[in-house]
Amino acid sequence: MNTLITSAILMALVFSGPYPCLTAPLHQSDDDSFDLDNYDLNSVTDWDNPEANLYGDTYDYEDLDQEIEVETEAASVERLGSRAKVNQHDEKVTLPTLDFKGSGLFGLETGLGMPTCLLCVCIGGSVYCDDTGLKEIPPLPKDTRHFYGRFNSIRHIKNTDFRNLGKLQSIDLTGNQISEMDEDVFGSLEQLRDLLLAENNLQALPELPVTLTHIDLRNNRLDSQGIHSESFKDMSQLEFLYLSNNNLDYIPTPLPLSLRVLHLQGNNIQSLHEDTFCDSHDRYFIRRNLEDIRLDDNPLNMNWFPRAYACLPRLPVGSR
């Protein structure tokens, strides 16, 4: 009997371990302990079937799969934009609008549907519209002083084209197709100095401002009947007059004393008058300023009219 009791006590000590106080607490679940009886140390892991673990349980890896969405840049911008809209203030900001049809920096719209100073270049009172396909003079800003409309397709200059442009000092329309000009087209231009209309189809001239200092009418179709009588007489500041390669029959006189250069080559001039350059009533008269006269390529023999240029400081260029 004593032997049985002693054996039972020894068995209890063996199973409880050498430190009974470190044994698992009584409330620990059986799921946390290992099943040593069923544990197979000789088992081989099936790597072809990793879903099966050593304990016979399987995991459903499909439950762990997650879709990874790649957000495009456009979507990101759209998302940020939507956030920005939420944070926007209710206050509206009104931006200023440009009125191209009113007066000012941009001027009115041209026939091409564009404001003048967008179609052309406007810099410090100068408007450059060279080679822009213009068929008429565009509306110009009121402060325009110099207008350049060279090498376009302008045919007609109307008396309204330069209205209200009192500051205009020069007009350059070289290389167009101008064949017609209204009579009053330059009437309001009290400060006009330079008028350049070379290489056009002009047959007649309107009334010209007496303020002009430089007139260029080369390579047109002007005849003597197309120039007003005494058209240049009162131009007391005129220095340069270019009338070469036209259809003139005679030199338009009288010429102002301020004239320095007169080019008439390539016309149909056949004779000279004694008072063309000089004053027949004043034998001591000398025209000192006029030093450059071109009369070559005309049916004119200079030797026949010696008194016509006796008052000049330099002989005209022409055939003798």
Side-chain angles (χ1 to χ4, degrees):
M1 185 68 179
N2 291 332
T3 303
L4 292 175
I5 293 173
T6 302
S7 298
I9 292 172
L10 290 174
M11 291 293 293
L13 291 174
V14 169
F15 286 106
S16 62
Y19 304 101
C21 60
L22 296 179
T23 57
L26 296 177
H27 63 270
Q28 184 177 0
S29 64
D30 294 334
D31 295 334
D32 295 334
S33 61
F34 294 105
D35 187 3
L36 298 178
D37 294 336
N38 295 324
Y39 190 81
D40 186 4
L41 294 175
N42 297 320
S43 63
V44 179
T45 302
D46 185 7
W47 296 106
D48 295 331
N49 186 18
E51 294 183 359
N53 61 21
L54 297 177
Y55 307 104
D57 296 330
T58 60
Y59 289 106
D60 188 0
Y61 285 94
E62 293 182 359
D63 294 339
L64 299 177
D65 290 341
Q66 297 178 356
E67 277 190 341
I68 301 175
E69 296 182 356
V70 179
E71 187 176 29
T72 63
E73 185 177 354
S76 177
V77 172
E78 184 178 356
R79 176 170 54 79
L80 291 174
S82 63
R83 288 184 183 176
K85 288 181 180 179
V86 174
N87 295 329
Q88 279 180 349
H89 297 291
D90 293 333
E91 222 175 280
K92 292 184 178 179
V93 178
T94 304
L95 296 176
T97 57
L98 297 175
D99 182 14
F100 293 132
K101 295 186 177 181
S103 61
L105 175 63
F106 293 99
L108 301 173
E109 285 192 359
T110 66
L112 298 179
M114 294 180 66
T116 300
C117 289
L118 292 183
L119 175 68
C120 307
V121 177
C122 300
I123 303 175
S126 297
V127 179
Y128 299 88
C129 296
D130 294 342
D131 198 15
T132 53
L134 291 177
K135 294 185 178 180
E136 58 185 14
I137 304 296
L140 301 174
K142 289 185 179 180
D143 63 347
T144 302
R145 289 179 171 81
H146 308 282
F147 171 59
Y148 302 89
R150 297 168 290 195
F151 312 115
N152 285 291
S153 302
I154 301 171
R155 297 176 181 273
H156 181 202
I157 300 181
K158 303 183 288 294
N159 57 10
T160 57
D161 286 339
F162 302 114
R163 184 175 294 174
N164 299 321
L165 296 175
K167 298 181 180 180
L168 195 58
Q169 298 176 12
S170 65
I171 298 173
D172 191 348
L173 291 169
T174 301
N176 278 272
Q177 302 172 22
I178 302 170
S179 59
E180 185 178 358
M181 302 176 72
D182 291 352
E183 184 62 29
D184 298 331
V185 64
F186 304 120
S188 62
L189 304 181
E190 298 179 353
Q191 296 189 33
L192 191 64
R193 300 289 184 269
D194 302 323
L195 180 61
L196 312 181
L197 297 169
E199 300 177 22
N200 280 283
N201 297 318
L202 287 169
Q203 298 183 39
L205 294 177
E207 191 74 30
L208 299 177
V210 297
T211 56
L212 290 173
T213 62
H214 183 185
I215 300 174
D216 189 351
L217 293 163
R218 295 171 295 164
N219 300 307
N220 275 278
R221 300 166 60 190
L222 288 171
D223 56 36
S224 295
Q225 287 70 36
I227 299 179
H228 287 248
S229 177
E230 300 185 345
S231 182
F232 307 109
K233 177 183 178 180
D234 296 326
M235 296 185 183
S236 59
Q237 302 177 65
L238 183 63
E239 297 184 13
F240 306 94
L241 179 57
Y242 300 98
L243 293 167
S244 57
N245 298 313
N246 280 281
N247 299 318
L248 299 177
D249 297 321
Y250 54 83
I251 297 175
T253 57
L255 297 170
L257 296 177
S258 58
L259 196 62
R260 297 171 52 193
V261 176
L262 175 64
H263 284 189
L264 288 160
Q265 68 269 32
N267 279 279
N268 192 37
I269 299 172
Q270 302 180 29
S271 64
L272 295 177
H273 193 271
E274 190 173 341
D275 288 332
T276 299
F277 305 116
C278 302
D279 185 354
S280 60
H281 301 291
D282 185 358
R283 56 188 302 183
Y284 299 105
F285 172 77
I286 298 178
R287 187 184 284 268
R288 300 185 182 278
N289 292 334
L290 190 53
E291 296 183 348
D292 184 3
I293 302 176
R294 293 283 303 274
L295 287 168
D296 46 314
D297 295 329
N298 279 279
L300 174 69
N301 190 334
M302 298 290 296
N303 294 324
W304 295 352
F305 310 97
R307 292 187 179 181
Y309 43 84
C311 64
L312 298 177
R314 186 173 301 175
L315 294 177
V317 175
S319 58
R320 290 173 174 80

